[in-house]
Amino acid sequence: MDLIDLFIGSEGTLGIVTEIEVALIPAMKETFDLVAFFPTEEKAVDFVLESKQAEDRAVNFYEFFDENTLRMLSRSYPLIPTLSKAAIYIEQEIVAENDKDYIDYWAGLLEKYGASLDDCWLSADEKQRSELLKFRHAIPEHINEMFKQYHQVKLATDIAVPNDKFKEMFNYYDSELATRDSRLFYIKFGHIGDNHLHVNLIAKKEQDLPLAKELILKFVRKAVSFGGTVSAEHGIGKIKHDYLREMYGLAGIEEMMKVKKVFDPSFVLGRNNILPA
Ligand SMILES: Cc1cc2nc3c(=O)[nH]c(=O)nc-3n(C[C@H](O)[C@H](O)[C@H](O)COP(=O)(O)OP(=O)(O)OC[C@H]3O[C@@H](n4cnc5c(N)ncnc54)[C@H](O)[C@@H]3O)c2cc1C
C-alpha cells in the first residue's frame, strides 16, 4: 500500500493534510447531457447495464432516480413526466470516436427500454447543463429537508457492489423495501454507473426507527457478502462503526487500531471517526 492511499479516506484520524498536489486532466471540450425518463425502474437499470457493456462511449456518469425520488422532486420540478417511474441522468464527453453517432446510439437504446429522446431533458449549452446538475443535486437537499421535518437522524446507505452483483443488490433493495413501505418512506438514487446507490430511509413513526436501522444492517451484510463496500464515498465518521466491523471483522478493526497508534499514539486525531474512541 502507498502511504498516500493510507491517508486518503482516513477522515482526519492519522494526520492533518496541509497541502495536496493534484494532476490535472484536459478540460472537456463538449459534453452531451441528458435526463431520460423510464416506464419502470427495471428498464432504467437494464438500460444502464447494457450501455455500460458497450465499447467505451466516454460516459462520465450515470445517475439514477427511483420513483419515490421523482415524486419527491415533482413539487419543485412539475415537468417530470407523471407516468415515469425512474430517470437516468447521463453525461457523455463528445470525442472523435463518438461525435458522429451519439444521438442515434442513445435514441436507439432509449427506445429499446421504453424511453424516448423526445421526452428527455437535454442540455445544449452551459446554462442548461448546470440546470441538469441542479436537478441531480436537489435530491439530497430535498431528502435532508424531509429528515429535518421528521426530526430524524439521516439513515442512509453508501453501498457499492461489484459489477456482476449490482442487479441482484438492486432487486434485494426492492424486495426488502416493498414489504415495509407502509412504515418507511424511502428513496433509492445516485451513482448507478459505479454500482453505488444511496438508499435513504425515513421512519414514518418514531417506533419504526429500529426497523429502519435493522434494514440498513441487512443491506450492509448483503453488500459485504457480495464483496462490496459499506461506504463507497461518505466515509464511516462517528455513526457507522458497526458497518465497518461487518466489513472487516473485529480482527480487521484491531489491525487498523495498530496502524493508527503508530501515527497518533494518544488517539487525539479525528476522535471517534472510523474507529470508536
Ligand atoms: C447534499 C450533499 C451531497 C453530497 N454528495 C456527495 C457525492 O455525490 N459524493 C461524495 O463523495 N460526497 C458527497 N457528499 C459528502 C461530502 O462531499 C463529504 O462529506 C465531504 O467530505 C465534505 O467535505 P468537507 O470539506 O465539508 O469536509 P469536512 O466535513 O470538513 O471533513 C470530512 C472529513 O475529512 C476530514 N478532513 C477534512 N479536512 C482535512 C484535512 N485537511 N486533513 C485531514 N483530514 C481532513 C475531517 O476530519 C472529516 O473527517 C455530499 C454531502 C452533502 C451534504
Side-chain angles (χ1 to χ4, degrees), residues 68-81 121 131 134-143 145-146 149:
N68 286 353
T69 301
L70 293 179
R71 298 290 87 76
M72 177 183 74
L73 293 178
S74 58
R75 274 175 294 130
S76 311
Y77 290 89
L79 293 179
I80 293 173
W121 297 353
E131 286 305 320
K134 257 196 239 147
F135 175 59
R136 166 60 183 83
H137 204 66
I139 305 175
E141 289 169 350
H142 277 65
I143 193 76
E145 279 315 308
M146 285 181 77
Q149 273 166 28

Side-chain angles (χ1 to χ4, degrees), residues 258-275:
K258 285 186 200 148
V259 172
K260 175 162 171 71
K261 221 176 176 78
V262 173
F263 290 90
D264 177 21
S266 332
F267 273 62
V268 292
L269 294 173
R271 279 184 67 74
N272 214 21
N273 274 0
I274 305 184
L275 303 170

